[in-house]
């Protein structure tokens, strides 16, 4: 028998909690007050959270609190008291993205369980094992892994593994998406995703609009449904199965919980043949009707770029019924694609994306017809059974044409049935409570009750024992043992107002006592009350906000010492000023003398020669698929620069060949972009620097990453300038690198938009390496163009068309101790590369004014120059919540 897997459900409201618990969830997750990573959901109060945790725990369900966002420095310093109060509410675990936050929670309460969020972009066993040292108990893997890759990760770590099995799929790797931030001023890493990927885009190939595709919604993925993969995931040993949807309805939560609970129970009990999960149409029907953009197994079966993105719509469409074949006055005949018959009152959507036509109506009635042929030449001869949809006369069916797609996207009847599963007490799934009643004449009655712990909560059995106040007296008449047991079962089984139902009952009453029903009822009430209190008991937790503050102070002191040492090494006279430095939190004056270190990142070998003779220090190679590194590396060194190689942004099982190439060529340094690569390269002897994709946003994250062997780290692009300088107050600025010029990466995706829109290929090599043959630009809804690029593993990055310049911050950065600066090229020709780099190096070296350099840099850009997120000081407000 397979080990039971945890079914983890989303909660955004109290009703969603009831829907999940009463339909069979093993665990639920919801947002931390004021730190909810789903900005549009209800923000619970402390009292709400306490009640929700107790409600779930009393029913054997675990509660996880999601705080899976990046935390900025000023916030981190203010968190110890807040976190100690949240931990005191006794959640089973926290879901965390930020490394610094995870460390702070561990400092405040070493016993607190923490899970590494999918926002940490963990896609290999090496990455999972690296963060294990922080104290994580579980890793939530990236959604882009196939089942085989999940198996490879699981076999390489002893940490618990959690994977997503149902709900929305993001087109970008979670934690690596800056689309909302760049296009809408709202950070996905701060729980404010604007779903920019769901908007329509136009494609330009080699400068001309490409219209030979149906993919208007080029980046809008279908939804995930892993029901066909559950047995395989169980065999792999995945501990937790997670459902996305804190913004969905409680009815949706009920439907998904019911379907997956039933499937998992059948797998666990081995009651079905392989591939047969015992699910009926009534289990599967609501999964599409209530909310669906079309269901797919996502990446679990590997890449299929044609299947992953429909391209013709991005919103909820529901269950696909078929295509229109005939229209009458108030009836529409549709090819019957599904066996599920729509119900009166259901919402029916008719759509033809080619002509941007979309209309719908409520259904009057539906039936399967076997002979819809009405006249010669109507094109229906030889067709099988059709679905006839009848509407009221107020619906103008003349607007409906043949071959329109038909969807069932709403069902009040279905929702009403699902709602009963968590509002009707008689339908509630309850925990079995076992009882033993004992006693004898001249003694009190004793009632023992106990709950076996759920399989996923072993070691947490709960029990209670109570005695009656009355002493049992001899009955005047003979007592039938069977009648006494029947009475006990009736009175002790009256548990309808509780989360329990009577399991086994043993009656051991000696002699022939008189047992009043009222005594049994009182015993039951007392025992159940005691059992409920026992169920809420929690393990001992050593919670200390003071320890959290001490942890942060230790980090600040460590960086202060390091900053002084660094300053003294760069300026011998700095030691004479050390007494003054002791009272300062910033060491900018000391660092002014340090010569800036300038690195240029190039994305094709032709750009290297353009750097000859320029006043730079390092060149970083970040080449496309199939481009060799050995000759360019030697060329860079011959030009007098240090040569660096950038790792890929993602590290998955079976992708060590690129890292082996780095180890083989032994560049002067490596730019590390993910935790898996950091784990592999940290002991290689190659100097390492960390990129923005590591999402360092606070001093506690910085310290840990530096301790893993990084010499410098680029901060997360979620920080604006105020947050950046807050950070620099508490770290050594000489260990921070900042890119002064780059095309911002909007998202980084396993999905290939080149293959989806320009070919019929499902994956490489079916695509014919189309990405190497054309330059593709994407036009957004604002009329701005962006560049689409692929990397060495065929992953796509959409780069914002207007590059970001941080030159305006140069004086303040220098006085904050920063002396490592980067310039990133994209697809510029060599002449343009040289002009750009020259402008920036002259400004960095102080040979031209910052203002003149910015003006000149803007002239060089095809679509202008942007200041980007660094200069965005606004705070996004959810207007719906503010109303």
């Amino acid at each position: 028998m397979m080990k039971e897997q945890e079914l983890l459900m989303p909660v955004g409201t109290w009703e969603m909690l009831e829907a999940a618990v009463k339909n069979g969830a093993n665990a639920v997750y919801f947002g931390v007050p004021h730190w909810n990573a789903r900005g549009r959901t209800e923000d619970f109060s402390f009292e709400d959270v306490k009640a929700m945790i107790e409600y779930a725990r009393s029913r054997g369900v675990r509660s996880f609190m999601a705080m899976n966002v990046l935390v900025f420095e000023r916030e981190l310093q203010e968190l110890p008291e807040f976190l100690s109060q949240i931990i005191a509410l006794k959640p089973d675990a926290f879901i965390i993205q930020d490394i610094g936050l995870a460390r702070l929670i561990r400092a405040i309460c070493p016993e607190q369980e923490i899970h590494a969020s999918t926002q940490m972009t963990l896609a290999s066993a090496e990455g999972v094992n690296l963060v294990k040292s922080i104290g994580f108990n579980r890793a939530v893997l990236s959604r882009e892994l196939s089942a085989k890759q999940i198996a490879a990760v699981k076999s390489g770590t002893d940490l618990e593994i959690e994977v997503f099995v149902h709900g929305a799929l993001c087109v970008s790797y979670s934690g690596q998406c800056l689309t909302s931030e760049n296009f809408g001023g709202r950070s996905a890493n701060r729980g404010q995703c604007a779903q920019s990927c769901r908007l329509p885009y136009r494609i330009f190939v080699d400068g001309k609009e490409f219209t030979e595709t149906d993919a208007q919604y080029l980046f809008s993925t279908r939804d995930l449904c892993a029901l066909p993969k559950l047995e395989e995931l169980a065999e792999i040993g995945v501990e937790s199965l997670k459902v996305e949807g804190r913004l969905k309805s409680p009815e949706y939560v009920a439907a998904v919980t019911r379907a997956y609970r039933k499937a998992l129970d059948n797998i666990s009990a081995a009651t079905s043949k392989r591939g047969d999960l015992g699910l009926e149409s009534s289990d599967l029907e609501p999964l599409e009707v209530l909310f669906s953009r079309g269901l797919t197994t996502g990446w679990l079966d590997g890449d299929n770029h044609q299947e992953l993105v429909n391209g013709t719509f991005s919103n909820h469409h529901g269950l696909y019924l078929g295509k229109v074949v005939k229209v009458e006055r108030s009836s529409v005949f549709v090819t019957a694609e599904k066996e599920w018959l729509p119900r009166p009152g259901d919402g029916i959507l008719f759509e033809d994306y080619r002509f941007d036509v979309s209309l719908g109506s409520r259904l009057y009635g539906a039936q399967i017809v076997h002979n819809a042929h009405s006249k010669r030449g109507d094109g229906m001869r030889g067709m099988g059974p059709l679905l006839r949809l009848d509407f009221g006369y107020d619906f103008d069916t003349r607007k409906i044409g043949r071959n329109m797609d038909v969807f069932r996207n709403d069902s009040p009847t279905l929702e009403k049935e699902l709602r009963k599963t968590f509002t009707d007490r008689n339908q509630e799934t309850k925990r079995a409570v076992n009882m033993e009643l004992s006693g004898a004449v001249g003694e009190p009655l004793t009632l023992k009750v106990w709950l076996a712990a759920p399989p996923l909560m072993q070691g947490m059995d709960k029990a209670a024992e109570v005695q009656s106040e009355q002493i049992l007296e001899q009955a005047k008449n003979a007592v039938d043992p069977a009648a006494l047991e029947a009475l006990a079962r009736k009175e002790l089984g009256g548990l309808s107002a509780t989360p329990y139902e009577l399991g086994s009952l043993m009656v051991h009453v000696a002699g022939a006592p008189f047992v009043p029903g009222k005594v049994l009822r009182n015993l039951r009430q007392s025992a159940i009350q005691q059992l409920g209190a026992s169920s809420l008991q929690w393990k001992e937790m050593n919670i200390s906000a003071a320890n959290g503050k001490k942890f942060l102070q230790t980090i600040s002191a460590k960086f202060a010492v390091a900053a002084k040492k660094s300053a003294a090494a760069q300026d011998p006279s700095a030691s004479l000023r050390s007494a003054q430095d002791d009272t300062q939190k910033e060491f900018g004056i000391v660092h002014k003398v340090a010569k800036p270190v300038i690195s240029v990142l190039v994305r094709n070998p032709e750009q290297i020669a353009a750097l000859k003779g320029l006043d730079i220090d390092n060149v970083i190679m970040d080449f496309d698929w199939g481009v060799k590194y050995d000759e360019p590396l030697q060329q860079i060194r011959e030009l007098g620069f240090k040569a660096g190689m950038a790792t890929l942004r993602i590290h998955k099982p079976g992708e060590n060949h690129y890292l082996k190439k780095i180890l083989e060529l032994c560049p002067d340094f490596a730019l590390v972009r993910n935790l898996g690569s950091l784990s592999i390269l940290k002991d290689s002897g190659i100097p390492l620097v960390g990129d923005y994709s590591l999402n360092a946003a606070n001093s506690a994250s910085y310290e840990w990453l530096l301790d893993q062997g990084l010499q410098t780290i680029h901060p997360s692009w979620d920080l604006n300038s105020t947050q950046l300088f807050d950070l620099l107050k508490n770290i050594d600025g000489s260990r921070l690198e900042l890119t002064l010029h780059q095309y911002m990466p909007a998202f980084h995706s396993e999905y290939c938009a080149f293959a989806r829109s320009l070919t019929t290929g499902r994956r490489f090599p079916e695509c014919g390496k189309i990405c190497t043959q054309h330059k593709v630009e994407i036009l957004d809804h604002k009329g701005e163009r962006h560049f689409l690029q692929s990397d060495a593993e065929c992953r796509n990055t959409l780069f914002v068309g207007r590059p970001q310049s941080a030159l305006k911050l140069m004086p303040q950065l220098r006085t904050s101790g920063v002396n490592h600066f980067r310039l990133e090229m994209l697809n510029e020709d060599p002449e343009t590369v040289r002009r750009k780099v020259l402008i920036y190096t002259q400004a960095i070296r102080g040979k031209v004014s910052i203002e003149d350099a910015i003006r000149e840099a803007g002239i060089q850009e095809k679509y202008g120059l942007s200041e980007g997120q660094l200069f965005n000081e606004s705070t996004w407000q959810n207007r719906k919540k503010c109303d």
Side-chain angles (χ1 to χ4, degrees), residues 698-736:
N698 55 65
S699 56
S701 296
Y702 258 81
E703 185 202 34
W704 186 84
L705 288 165
L706 290 174
D707 285 347
Q708 307 312 304
L710 298 178
Q711 295 184 349
T712 61
I713 308 174
H714 195 295
S716 165
W717 278 124
D718 284 274
L719 278 68
N720 62 26
S721 57
T722 298
Q723 293 150 354
L724 174 63
F725 289 113
D726 283 342
L727 173 63
L728 282 166
K729 293 175 183 178
N730 287 330
I731 67 171
D732 178 4
S734 68
R735 306 289 297 275
L736 182 144

Side-chain angles (χ1 to χ4, degrees), residues 52 61 71 113 127 228 270 309 410 482 588 651 719 787 833 835 842:
M52 292 166 73
V61 175
V71 178
E113 185 172 328
V309 168
D410 180 35
H651 178 248
L719 278 68
F787 305 108
V833 168
R835 286 199 304 267
Q842 286 180 329

Side-chain angles (χ1 to χ4, degrees), residues 13-45:
T13 65
W14 184 272
E15 279 197 329
M16 291 172 71
L17 174 64
E18 291 182 308
V21 170
K22 292 182 179 180
N23 281 283
N26 301 111
V28 294
Y29 66 100
F30 44 87
V32 170
H34 317 306
W35 285 90
N36 194 346
R38 289 294 178 270
R40 288 174 287 159
T41 61
E42 182 179 332
D43 197 4
F44 300 120
S45 67

Side-chain angles (χ1 to χ4, degrees), residues 601-670:
L601 184 144
V602 294
R603 286 194 165 89
N604 67 68
E606 291 74 24
Q607 295 173 330
I608 295 173
L611 303 175
K612 182 178 180 179
L614 296 181
D615 191 6
I616 64 174
D617 303 279
N618 307 316
V619 178
I620 305 168
M621 296 174 287
D622 184 16
F623 297 153
D624 199 350
W625 186 89
V627 179
K628 295 184 177 181
Y629 279 80
D630 45 0
E631 291 183 7
L633 186 144
Q634 186 60 32
Q635 181 185 6
I636 291 169
R637 287 172 172 168
E638 289 175 355
L639 291 175
F641 310 131
K642 287 185 177 181
M645 292 177 65
T647 73
L648 301 179
R649 204 155 152 193
I650 304 297
H651 178 248
K652 296 173 70 174
E655 293 184 356
N656 285 353
H657 50 279
Y658 190 81
L659 296 174
K660 290 178 180 177
K661 180 61 67 175
I662 293 178
L663 294 171
E664 174 190 330
L665 295 177
C666 199
D668 298 307
F669 66 98

Side-chain angles (χ1 to χ4, degrees), residues 345-410:
D346 284 358
I348 304 297
L349 172 69
F350 297 90
E351 190 167 79
D352 190 332
Y353 70 88
R354 298 168 301 172
F355 304 104
D356 197 24
V357 175
S358 182
L359 63 155
S361 179
R362 291 286 174 191
L363 185 66
Y364 181 78
Q367 60 180 307
I368 297 294
V369 295
H370 295 272
N371 185 11
H373 174 67
S374 59
K375 60 182 179 180
R376 188 174 183 179
D378 65 1
M380 297 173 61
R381 186 180 297 277
M383 283 191 172
L386 299 177
L387 175 62
R388 173 176 168 169
L389 304 176
D390 298 321
F391 300 92
Y393 285 105
D394 57 336
F395 180 53
D396 189 357
T397 57
R398 291 175 298 180
K399 297 179 181 180
I400 300 173
R402 284 176 62 92
N403 294 319
M404 289 184 75
D405 290 317
V406 187
F407 301 86
R408 177 186 174 204
N409 66 354
D410 180 35

